[in-house]
Amino acid sequence: MDRLARILPILHWGRAYDRHALVSDGVAAVIVTIMLIPQSLAYAMLAGLPPVIGLYASILPLVAYALLGSSRTLSVGPVAVVSLLTATAASGVAAPGSPEYVAAALILAFLSGLILVAMGIFRLGFVANLLSHPVISGFITASSLLIATGQIKHILGIKAEGATLPEMLASLLENRSGIHGPTLAIGALATAFLFWSRRFLKPLLIRLGIASRPAALLARTGPVIVVAASIAAVILLDPGVAVVGEVPQGLPPLSRPVFDPALWRALLPSAFLIALIGFVESVSVAQTLAAKRRQSISPDQELIGLGMANLAAAFSSGYPVTGGFARSVVNFDAGAQTPAAGALTALGIALASVFLTPLLFHLPVAVLAATITVAVLSLADFGALRRTWRYSRSDFSALAVTLAATLAVGVETGIIAGIAVSVLLHLWASSRPHVAVIGQVPGTQHFRNVRRHRVICTPEVLGLRIDESLFFANARAIETVIQQEAAARPELRHVVLNCAAVNSIDASALESLELVMHRLSDAGIALHLSEVKGPVMDRLERSDFLHHLTGQVHLSHYHAIQALAPQAARTAHRAGLRGLSR
Amino acid sequence: MDRLARILPILHWGRAYDRHALVSDGVAAVIVTIMLIPQSLAYAMLAGLPPVIGLYASILPLVAYALLGSSRTLSVGPVAVVSLLTATAASGVAAPGSPEYVAAALILAFLSGLILVAMGIFRLGFVANLLSHPVISGFITASSLLIATGQIKHILGIKAEGATLPEMLASLLENRSGIHGPTLAIGALATAFLFWSRRFLKPLLIRLGIASRPAALLARTGPVIVVAASIAAVILLDPGVAVVGEVPQGLPPLSRPVFDPALWRALLPSAFLIALIGFVESVSVAQTLAAKRRQSISPDQELIGLGMANLAAAFSSGYPVTGGFARSVVNFDAGAQTPAAGALTALGIALASVFLTPLLFHLPVAVLAATITVAVLSLADFGALRRTWRYSRSDFSALAVTLAATLAVGVETGIIAGIAVSVLLHLWASSRPHVAVIGQVPGTQHFRNVRRHRVICTPEVLGLRIDESLFFANARAIETVIQQEAAARPELRHVVLNCAAVNSIDASALESLELVMHRLSDAGIALHLSEVKGPVMDRLERSDFLHHLTGQVHLSHYHAIQALAPQAARTAHRAGLRGLSR
């Protein structure tokens, strides 16, 4: 039962579900529905899809997540960054506006759903760790800039193109003469009101006597007010601005991703990035919210929940979805207790797509663009550049490369370049392990770095302490260090590696040790090990290394020195007052 | 002067150059020249190029390396694996045999030369660490199988095609009816003799009274004997086998890589792989030989030396070169003292290309194929599969993926898949750091793992020791562990992270710590640190983390417990006999 409840979390919270929880969830669902209608339309437009697809992506996927997700309060659906990634990927294989483009978005939802579910089943959530914080930060800031810039044309009422920031800006400049007055008026007013309501609506409502929490929730209705007001304005004034137009009325039609191996192969890398980015964003929101109520989430179960949500999107005319930050916070603040709030939100959106769609005909595109712009600009975090620069140059490079590559080349190149740079910088840092030449502290059995302590060494025996696990990134560096230290000591006969800090030795490092051993042996020098940890020793015993070992494995470094340079060890011992064992 | 000598190693060894060194180098050069002539022709054929290009690639590149390389005895020139990589890359952009194909090989030499020199200048040699030993081993074994299989058609005298092992085998089977008797006879005889001479010629010569060292060198002349004998046989018997044909006579004509941005971009990834693989192979040979004479090499200077050798190849009608294992060993064993041996070898090959090329007209292609087959099969190491499996499953996976992908998909995919798997497995291992809940050992100021020792804990304070540096791959795991441990303790008010084993905290881990701190704070729990190392503390002070810290930074874990749970600390202290400080 417990195991089943882990796979189907609804069995866990569903049993304790009562009227109280239903009321809380219901209230939250109403508020999130109101917030989600303009957002869904806007993000679908950002993804280059008909606005109604945004509504469709906010129905069945929410139900799937409610059944399988491990977060109580995460709200899934279309989000800005994933919509941008969808637009980039789909426009690589089809013309925006074509049926093939819509089909490509469906395939992306299907493939990223499969990838997420597979990662959940095989517990591969750790792959998300490839995305370091600086890379995510750089990517989100760059994406929000790209998205906001991409909306300017809708607000100005002109045509413009381009996938990168320089291209977009050049195209906007080129077409600047075509600015359409009424569109700009509506777009600018909407943008200004949305910025104002984000910052000042809540304090105003509080000053009007509304309690803090409902004021915060009401302040989130800014986009709905703008949508309603602009529809009214268009109907009354008929200013000739671009509008959303016919939106099909009714529930989402069932769909099926087209099977086309070549197309799937072309979209697979993008689907992988969408899955990864969506998962990282979603888990970080879910963990933050869970912690506030001392709940916990399971990353592997999240993969399954998000994956099934995307598969649901693929079979109900949607496009890739994930957990959104803003809407999850609203859901949480509005008092959602269980995933049932998500299912109720789905019901709300379903009702909206049946009854409200005719009203959306006159909704100005410029207002949707304003909604997107204001939402994404709050994601950009320029302060991170300064903070990261101060903290670490290496993390800053990863952030800067991601930011620059995303803006100048594209979103996919940006993420991949960021991952590559952060992995390379990490391997670079690991490739220079700290290796100390050690000698005996007089009067003790302790061995310390010769550079920091007054210690006793002998010309025939070299003690080296390696302060890191040995693996492929530092194996060659260890070879070089040992060889250089040995080359500098003409009287040398024994090298003793102190392995107290070595937690593991991989096959590359083992081969390097064998190489070093043979090279030292050619020069008449024996290689010894001391203080090898249990698990490392177990593994070494499974190789031939210990059979060939030209020296021995010593229990402690002191034992090694006693055996190899008894004279020196005794001198060092007498030099102090008495021995102190650890 | 010292600095200049590091950049131009000739200034170092050139000053002490004398008659004795000249004689040694001269003898080695003669022997290497004899060995290099058939090898150069054969590897050029393997690369899909006219055989004479192999001779050209063994002249100026050797001079460039002699001036700039840091190894005294490394012998550069065409090698098997790089020739295979060249063939793969060039046949991706041009038809084998066409002038465009030869031009592509020239561009590959130019680009990989530039990449190597740039890596040397910016000290980026550590990038080679990406290639772990299991990946290299799997790649070399797979390449040698591919190369040997590719030669079967020449030995059978049939036509066959294919870039992967299954394709090649299928094509050989399909064309098996066309086997040409005389070609097979020559090819099989040559192969058998070469295998025999590799194993039995040296013992035979020793039994005939020749000293061990000259016997070893004479035994290496097997390929030259086969070449000479087969040319004689073709001239005398005229068996109608495929021969090398017209080989241009004279010094290599100067050349210039064609500037074509699209072509360069297409060849860049291959050039990068050629540079990387060539560098790794070369450095490992150079280090092994240097160690035998207690010399050392400089990996950064090697990059410059190899890079200039490739640039020289690009401007003298050659193709990519690197340091070869077999020929470097011969050079070393023959007594080469300085890089001048390489320059003298270049002179030898130049003389050969002026005077000997007419003799090569009748050289059977099957003999070159036999030379290649015997040379590469000695590189395959199937034992590594078993050894690595026994030693570590994770290293075995990297090896097996590289081997399988190289054979079944191709050389470039093979290397890239191998690198990706080994980096992912490493990050996976690092993403699960050891975290111990610690409590006070009664009667001491020591804190140990609650699972292994009888220690005292308090319900309000949780002590956690993290046994690894914190970075992006394990940042999220640490978040999860802290949160889970905290969620399991309803009375908890303080979490103290013991950072004694934390050597660094990157920006991702810092952000995770901030997140954890805020989440704990939402639940009324303060986060403390203890035993933070100096360099980590310095860096934390450059961020805002310490300003927000809900708890404090404690000098030792004991201080922390004393401050947060004085009652418990005193009880624990009294419980033992007396305090023991470290």
Side-chain angles (χ1 to χ4, degrees):
Chain A
M1 182 65 208
D2 253 21
R3 212 168 142 212
L4 198 62
R6 214 164 23 220
I7 299 165
L8 270 173
I10 191 175
L11 295 178
H12 189 69
W13 57 263
R15 276 184 294 171
Y17 205 73
D18 58 11
R19 235 179 87 103
H20 171 71
L22 179 65
V23 171
S24 302
D25 287 344
V27 171
V30 169
I31 293 170
V32 175
T33 303
I34 292 172
M35 176 186 176
L36 210 45
I37 295 173
Q39 258 197 16
S40 301
L41 300 169
Y43 290 151
M45 186 178 92
L46 168 57
L49 294 163
V52 74
I53 303 272
L55 292 178
Y56 294 165
S58 307
I59 302 175
L60 278 193
L62 277 68
V63 177
Y65 184 83
L67 292 173
L68 290 157
S70 76
S71 162
R72 295 275 176 112
T73 43
L74 188 74
S75 175
V76 302
V79 307
V81 171
V82 167
S83 299
L84 175 65
L85 285 168
T86 303
T88 307
S91 58
V93 299
S98 67
E100 290 76 23
Y101 188 94
V102 177
L106 217 59
I107 293 172
L108 284 169
F110 179 70
L111 292 178
S112 59
L114 279 188
I115 291 167
L116 286 164
V117 170
M119 283 170 68
I121 291 172
F122 298 110
R123 304 179 162 271
L124 294 175
F126 82 93
V127 172
N129 293 341
L130 282 175
L131 287 166
S132 67
H133 278 283
V135 170
I136 296 172
S137 168
F139 177 69
I140 298 278
T141 297
S143 299
S144 65
L145 283 181
L146 280 180
I147 294 172
T149 310
Q151 300 311 312
I152 295 176
K153 63 181 177 202
H154 295 305
I155 293 176
L156 297 180
I158 61 179
K159 294 241 175 274
E161 285 186 344
T164 68
L165 195 68
E167 282 170 18
M168 285 180 182
L169 293 176
S171 178
L172 284 172
L173 271 181
E174 205 175 294
N175 297 299
R176 66 186 179 281
S177 55
I179 294 175
H180 184 244
T183 303
L184 177 56
I186 289 184
L189 263 175
T191 309
F193 175 77
L194 288 170
F195 268 120
W196 176 85
S197 75
R198 234 165 215 271
R199 180 158 298 186
F200 303 108
L201 191 51
K202 184 180 155 193
L204 179 71
L205 292 171
I206 291 176
R207 245 180 293 135
L208 293 178
I210 298 175
S212 173
R213 179 166 266 189
L217 292 173
L218 274 175
R220 296 282 189 166
T221 56
V224 176
I225 297 173
V226 171
V227 164
S230 66
I231 291 175
V234 168
I235 293 174
L236 294 175
L237 307 176
D238 193 11
V241 301
V243 294
V244 165
E246 193 85 62
V247 177
Q249 200 170 359
L251 291 173
L254 292 185
S255 61
R256 204 167 54 77
V258 188
F259 181 70
D260 175 344
L263 188 58
W264 285 28
R265 212 174 307 132
L267 291 172
L268 196 61
S270 309
F272 187 76
L273 285 180
I274 288 174
L276 215 59
I277 296 275
F279 173 61
V280 169
E281 189 172 347
S282 190
V283 160
S284 91
V285 177
Q287 261 177 345
T288 301
L289 296 180
K292 291 198 186 204
R293 293 190 187 152
R294 289 212 182 192
Q295 296 163 348
S296 72
I297 63 152
S298 145
D300 287 323
Q301 186 60 36
E302 278 304 290
L303 284 165
I304 307 253
L306 283 179
M308 293 305 287
N310 275 295
L311 290 178
F315 290 99
S316 62
S317 309
Y319 79 105
V321 295
T322 193
F325 178 70
R327 81 182 56 144
S328 299
V329 171
V330 168
N331 194 36
F332 184 92
D333 286 346
Q337 295 294 323
T338 74
L344 294 171
T345 304
L347 186 65
I349 302 278
L351 291 174
S353 70
V354 172
F355 297 111
L356 297 186
T357 39
L359 297 179
L360 298 174
F361 184 95
H362 294 290
L363 174 58
V365 170
V367 167
L368 287 183
T371 311
I372 296 172
T373 305
V374 176
V376 297
L377 282 183
S378 69
L379 298 176
D381 178 9
F382 296 104
L385 275 164
R386 195 180 34 75
R387 282 199 309 277
T388 312
W389 169 260
R390 251 188 16 209
Y391 187 67
S392 140
R393 296 297 182 273
S394 139
D395 283 309
F396 175 81
S397 325
L399 196 164
V401 165
T402 312
L403 185 74
T406 306
L407 289 179
V409 188
V411 280
E412 301 188 346
T413 311
I415 300 174
I416 292 165
I419 292 178
V421 167
S422 50
V423 169
L424 278 177
L425 285 172
H426 167 63
L427 290 177
W428 180 68
S430 323
S431 73
R432 302 171 308 166
H434 185 243
V435 178
V437 175
I438 53 177
Q440 193 171 8
V441 180
T444 73
Q445 299 183 359
H446 284 289
F447 289 78
R448 288 294 173 83
N449 193 336
V450 295
R451 295 218 190 136
R452 304 196 179 203
H453 300 268
R454 294 188 54 198
V455 292
I456 297 177
C457 297
T458 48
E460 308 95 57
V461 182
L462 167 66
L464 287 174
R465 194 189 66 219
I466 301 169
D467 287 346
E468 192 126 17
S469 292
L470 304 184
F471 72 109
F472 63 85
N474 59 28
R476 262 182 278 266
I478 304 268
E479 274 180 49
T480 309
V481 169
I482 297 177
Q483 232 163 300
Q484 281 173 351
E485 293 292 343
R489 290 173 174 75
E491 292 175 57
L492 193 65
R493 295 197 34 231
H494 301 279
V495 172
V496 185
L497 296 185
N498 180 313
C499 300
V502 175
N503 291 315
S504 66
I505 297 181
D506 81 353
S508 302
L510 181 72
E511 207 147 322
S512 286
L513 285 180
E514 297 223 28
L515 267 177
V516 164
M517 183 171 69
H518 288 133
R519 291 174 191 162
L520 289 176
S521 162
D522 285 345
I525 303 171
L527 181 73
H528 304 257
L529 305 179
S530 74
E531 305 184 15
V532 180
K533 293 187 176 183
V536 175
M537 198 65 192
D538 290 350
R539 182 151 281 184
L540 287 180
E541 275 165 358
R542 278 189 268 149
S543 75
D544 296 333
F545 181 70
L546 297 175
H547 298 289
H548 309 151
L549 191 61
T550 48
Q552 283 141 44
V553 180
H554 303 268
L555 196 65
S556 77
H557 205 78
Y558 180 68
H559 283 106
I561 301 301
Q562 261 193 323
L564 303 174
Q567 193 61 39
R570 245 174 289 128
T571 313
H573 209 88
R574 270 201 301 273
L577 293 170
R578 57 196 175 99
L580 256 178
S581 71
R582 270 200 287 187
Chain B
M1 183 63 206
D2 254 19
R3 214 169 142 210
L4 198 60
R6 215 163 25 223
I7 299 166
L8 269 175
I10 192 175
L11 294 179
H12 188 67
W13 57 263
R15 274 184 295 172
Y17 205 73
D18 57 11
R19 233 178 87 102
H20 171 72
L22 179 64
V23 171
S24 303
D25 287 344
V27 171
V30 169
I31 294 171
V32 175
T33 302
I34 292 171
M35 176 186 177
L36 209 46
I37 294 173
Q39 259 198 16
S40 300
L41 299 169
Y43 290 150
M45 185 178 92
L46 167 58
L49 294 163
V52 74
I53 305 274
L55 293 177
Y56 294 165
S58 307
I59 300 173
L60 277 193
L62 277 68
V63 176
Y65 183 84
L67 291 174
L68 290 156
S70 76
S71 163
R72 294 275 176 111
T73 45
L74 189 74
S75 173
V76 302
V79 306
V81 172
V82 167
S83 299
L84 176 64
L85 285 168
T86 302
T88 307
S91 58
V93 299
S98 66
E100 289 77 22
Y101 189 93
V102 178
L106 216 58
I107 292 173
L108 284 169
F110 179 69
L111 291 178
S112 58
L114 279 188
I115 291 168
L116 286 163
V117 170
M119 283 169 70
I121 292 172
F122 298 111
R123 306 181 160 269
L124 294 176
F126 80 95
V127 172
N129 293 341
L130 281 175
L131 287 166
S132 67
H133 278 284
V135 170
I136 296 171
S137 168
F139 177 70
I140 298 278
T141 297
S143 300
S144 64
L145 284 180
L146 280 180
I147 294 172
T149 311
Q151 300 310 312
I152 295 177
K153 63 179 178 203
H154 295 305
I155 293 176
L156 298 178
I158 61 179
K159 293 242 176 275
E161 286 185 343
T164 68
L165 194 67
E167 283 171 17
M168 285 180 184
L169 293 176
S171 177
L172 285 172
L173 272 180
E174 206 175 294
N175 298 300
R176 66 184 178 283
S177 57
I179 294 176
H180 185 245
T183 304
L184 177 57
I186 288 184
L189 263 174
T191 310
F193 175 77
L194 288 170
F195 269 121
W196 175 84
S197 74
R198 232 165 217 274
R199 181 158 299 183
F200 303 107
L201 191 53
K202 185 181 155 195
L204 179 73
L205 292 170
I206 290 175
R207 244 180 294 135
L208 292 177
I210 299 176
S212 173
R213 178 165 265 188
L217 292 173
L218 273 175
R220 297 279 190 169
T221 55
V224 176
I225 297 173
V226 170
V227 164
S230 67
I231 291 175
V234 168
I235 293 174
L236 294 176
L237 307 174
D238 194 10
V241 302
V243 294
V244 164
E246 193 85 65
V247 177
Q249 199 170 0
L251 289 174
L254 292 186
S255 61
R256 203 169 53 81
V258 189
F259 182 69
D260 174 345
L263 189 58
W264 284 28
R265 213 175 305 133
L267 291 172
L268 196 61
S270 309
F272 187 75
L273 285 180
I274 289 174
L276 215 57
I277 296 276
F279 174 60
V280 169
E281 190 173 346
S282 188
V283 159
S284 90
V285 177
Q287 260 177 345
T288 301
L289 297 180
K292 291 197 188 208
R293 292 190 185 152
R294 289 211 183 192
Q295 295 163 348
S296 71
I297 64 151
S298 145
D300 287 324
Q301 186 62 34
E302 277 305 288
L303 285 165
I304 308 253
L306 283 178
M308 293 305 287
N310 275 295
L311 291 178
F315 290 100
S316 63
S317 309
Y319 78 105
V321 294
T322 191
F325 178 71
R327 81 182 55 144
S328 299
V329 171
V330 168
N331 193 36
F332 184 90
D333 286 347
Q337 296 294 325
T338 74
L344 294 171
T345 305
L347 185 64
I349 302 280
L351 291 174
S353 69
V354 172
F355 297 110
L356 296 185
T357 40
L359 298 178
L360 298 173
F361 184 95
H362 294 290
L363 174 59
V365 170
V367 167
L368 287 183
T371 312
I372 295 174
T373 305
V374 176
V376 296
L377 283 183
S378 69
L379 299 176
D381 178 9
F382 296 104
L385 275 165
R386 195 180 35 74
R387 282 200 309 278
T388 313
W389 168 260
R390 253 187 18 210
Y391 187 69
S392 141
R393 297 297 182 273
S394 138
D395 282 310
F396 176 79
S397 325
L399 196 164
V401 165
T402 312
L403 185 74
T406 305
L407 288 179
V409 189
V411 280
E412 300 188 347
T413 312
I415 302 174
I416 291 164
I419 293 178
V421 167
S422 50
V423 169
L424 278 177
L425 285 172
H426 167 64
L427 290 177
W428 180 68
S430 323
S431 72
R432 301 171 309 165
H434 186 243
V435 178
V437 175
I438 53 175
Q440 194 171 4
V441 180
T444 73
Q445 298 183 2
H446 284 291
F447 289 77
R448 289 294 173 85
N449 193 337
V450 295
R451 296 218 190 135
R452 304 197 180 203
H453 299 267
R454 293 188 54 198
V455 294
I456 297 177
C457 296
T458 47
E460 308 94 57
V461 182
L462 168 65
L464 288 175
R465 192 190 66 219
I466 302 169
D467 287 345
E468 193 125 17
S469 291
L470 304 184
F471 72 109
F472 63 86
N474 59 28
R476 261 182 280 266
I478 303 269
E479 273 180 49
T480 308
V481 169
I482 296 177
Q483 232 162 300
Q484 281 173 349
E485 293 291 343
R489 289 173 174 74
E491 292 175 57
L492 193 65
R493 294 196 36 231
H494 301 280
V495 172
V496 185
L497 297 185
N498 180 312
C499 301
V502 175
N503 291 316
S504 66
I505 297 181
D506 80 352
S508 301
L510 181 72
E511 206 149 322
S512 286
L513 285 180
E514 297 223 26
L515 266 177
V516 164
M517 183 171 69
H518 288 131
R519 291 173 191 164
L520 289 176
S521 160
D522 285 345
I525 303 170
L527 180 73
H528 304 256
L529 305 179
S530 73
E531 304 184 17
V532 181
K533 293 186 177 185
V536 175
M537 198 65 194
D538 289 348
R539 181 152 280 184
L540 287 180
E541 275 165 358
R542 275 188 268 150
S543 75
D544 295 333
F545 181 70
L546 297 175
H547 297 288
H548 308 152
L549 192 61
T550 48
Q552 283 142 42
V553 180
H554 303 269
L555 197 63
S556 77
H557 206 78
Y558 179 69
H559 283 105
I561 301 301
Q562 260 194 324
L564 303 174
Q567 193 61 36
R570 247 175 287 128
T571 314
H573 209 89
R574 269 200 303 271
L577 294 170
R578 57 198 177 96
L580 258 176
S581 70
R582 273 198 288 186

